[in-house]
Amino acid sequence: MIIQPKVWGFICASAHPAGCEKNVLDQIAAVPRMQGNGPRRALIVGASTGYGLAARIVAAFGYGASTLGVFLEKPGKDKRPASAGWYNAAAFERAAARAGLHSLSLNADAFSHAAREHAIALIREQMDGPIDLLVYSLAAPARRLPDSGEVVHTALKPIGAAFSGTTIDTDHDKLATVTVEAASEAEIGATTAVMGGEDWTLWVNALADAGVLAPDAKAVAFSYVGPEITWPIYRHGTIGRAKQHLEQTAATLREQGVDARVAVMKFIVSQASAAIPVIPLYASLALKVMRERGLDESAIEQQVRLFRDFLYRTDGAAPALDADGLLRLDDRELRADVQDACKALWPRVNDANLAELTDYARYKREFLRLFGFARDDVDYAADVAPRVDFAPLEL
């Protein structure tokens, strides 16, 4: 079939297998041979897109680690493309096999007890020792609670008062004002249940109780703080409250003897971030400002820096932490000159100068690339098979 992008707002309902594979191969090519003692056996929960996929690539191709990736993605059918994450995971597995790297993939609901039990069985039976790195990188719109079976949903809302702000209507390529009502207590709690640290704790405890978490294992999860421009809807909103719970969870896990840290990353264009009001405009500005200063980093570049400069330093020194014990990889994004430039440009942007004052064209291109589109080296008029040779383990 001919596969073209089908985009509505922050949703892309199609993905291209050849484009997704090239995206993965580009990330692999960007990983240097990492120095020092890195992970030997890594479990990545949320391993098919974004920072989770990038972390898996660095662990495997940078350090030669055996990896187990857990994700929930949809395979292709005869007349329907797979999800981008399915194509990404398939491309990773093929590349790992060519490189002689041991890798396992589990397609399952990572929030479920069954997924944890299956992952533990795989570690025991098919990996040559306990996990020494757990990367937790789930960003989901909903979670089925493993004990009650209740489904709770993420709400992208402010807390305390309604929020109005400027964003980009990506369907029509023009500015728009968005108003979001304040979240209820139930919505705050549900968002924390999905995006907070509860499930991370369940993974750590299950692995430790089963004896498949090495005594010196590192556990890392990802967060985002962002600039003041976005705080009303993000850091001070429901997602920010959930991320604060995730950060508090790391401190609790450390008290229990687990080397757990939260890494605060820079923004990247992703389907999750595109869903957050004002982020399309902020990201378009920040992409331009950071690129002009030579400061922008892709997901894979951020992960290389995380592993090299924080998690596995060759000098043996402890990683640099902020006052709250966080690993800060958003330092370049939040540099004063970067944020001052974004703040100065923000009120000047209008429909007529959107392309001039921002890098909105790149924002849209990077969004499409998430799904394997907008690449110059792929013929999107060519007939391709939506099914790929990939059979991850399933429950």
Side-chain angles (χ1 to χ4, degrees):
M1 64 182 294
I2 307 299
I3 303 178
Q4 296 289 334
K6 298 179 180 178
V7 180
W8 300 273
F10 60 88
I11 300 295
C12 183
S14 59
H16 199 283
C20 288
E21 180 167 31
K22 288 180 179 293
N23 289 344
V24 171
L25 295 178
D26 283 351
Q27 291 190 74
I28 292 171
V31 176
R33 181 71 177 179
M34 306 295 281
Q35 303 298 312
N37 296 320
R40 300 175 297 279
R41 291 165 297 276
L43 168 61
I44 301 89
V45 181
S48 56
T49 61
Y51 280 129
L53 173 62
R56 189 180 191 188
I57 289 171
V58 174
F61 290 90
Y63 292 97
S66 173
T67 63
L68 167 56
V70 182
F71 48 80
L72 185 59
E73 300 290 352
K74 294 180 179 180
K77 295 184 177 180
D78 289 339
K79 294 298 181 181
R80 190 193 73 186
S83 61
W86 182 274
Y87 290 140
N88 292 341
F92 174 90
E93 286 285 7
R94 288 194 294 270
R98 290 193 297 268
L101 296 169
H102 181 247
S103 63
L104 300 166
S105 290
L106 174 60
N107 191 44
D109 176 9
F111 291 124
S112 69
H113 291 317
R116 282 183 281 274
E117 292 166 1
H118 203 78
I120 288 167
L122 289 171
I123 295 166
R124 283 175 171 162
E125 297 166 7
Q126 300 191 45
M127 302 184 85
D128 61 355
I131 293 298
D132 55 23
L133 173 64
L134 169 62
V135 176
Y136 187 83
S137 183
L138 286 186
R143 174 189 176 203
R144 183 179 295 278
L145 301 180
D147 293 327
S148 68
E150 177 189 1
V151 177
V152 291
H153 297 268
T154 299
L156 300 171
K157 291 187 174 184
I159 293 175
F163 166 76
S164 292
T166 304
T167 189
I168 301 177
D169 176 350
T170 53
D171 287 334
H172 301 95
D173 300 332
K174 63 180 183 180
L175 299 185
T177 299
V178 60
T179 298
V180 184
E181 295 302 315
S184 67
E185 287 300 320
E187 288 172 321
I188 296 170
T191 305
T192 300
V194 179
M195 300 290 289
E198 181 180 275
D199 187 64
W200 187 25
T201 300
L202 290 175
W203 273 98
V204 171
N205 290 344
L207 294 168
D209 292 345
V212 296
L213 188 68
D216 61 346
K218 299 178 185 294
V220 62
F222 303 126
S223 187
Y224 181 67
V225 170
E228 292 183 18
I229 293 172
T230 67
W231 281 1
I233 196 67
Y234 193 90
R235 189 63 182 178
H236 294 164
T238 53
I239 294 293
R241 181 71 62 85
K243 291 299 186 181
Q244 289 164 27
H245 184 270
L246 184 74
E247 293 156 14
Q248 293 161 3
T249 296
T252 300
L253 290 173
R254 288 196 299 276
E255 292 173 358
Q256 298 171 0
V258 179
D259 183 6
R261 292 291 174 186
V262 167
V264 181
M265 314 303 284
K266 71 172 284 289
F267 82 92
I268 56 172
V269 179
S270 67
Q271 187 155 353
S273 67
I276 303 171
V278 313
I279 289 294
L281 178 55
Y282 168 70
S284 298
L285 285 167
L287 283 170
K288 178 181 177 66
V289 171
M290 294 184 72
R291 177 177 52 80
E292 290 174 345
R293 289 161 172 76
L295 297 174
D296 195 30
E297 293 174 298
S298 64
I300 197 69
E301 290 169 329
Q302 279 260 291
Q303 288 298 328
V304 167
R305 189 152 69 97
L306 172 64
F307 278 67
R308 182 193 62 211
D309 297 348
F310 292 87
L311 298 180
Y312 299 102
R313 293 175 58 117
T314 56
D315 60 8
L321 305 170
D322 72 0
D324 297 315
L326 304 173
L327 309 175
R328 299 302 294 263
L329 283 96
D330 59 347
D331 51 336
R332 299 173 187 179
E333 177 188 349
L334 297 187
R335 248 176 49 170
D337 61 321
V338 171
Q339 289 307 311
D340 287 346
C342 288
K343 290 176 183 177
L345 289 168
W346 187 279
R348 295 173 51 198
V349 179
N350 56 46
D351 291 343
N353 62 24
L354 179 62
E356 174 191 353
L357 296 187
T358 78
D359 207 343
Y360 176 55
R362 182 179 165 202
Y363 173 87
K364 290 201 75 172
R365 186 169 62 252
E366 288 199 7
F367 179 80
L368 288 172
R369 283 176 70 102
L370 296 171
F371 305 92
F373 299 110
R375 293 189 61 102
D376 295 333
D377 53 359
V378 174
D379 181 3
Y380 295 106
D383 193 20
V384 295
R387 294 178 183 267
V388 297
D389 185 16
F390 180 47
L393 300 162
E394 299 190 271
L395 300 183

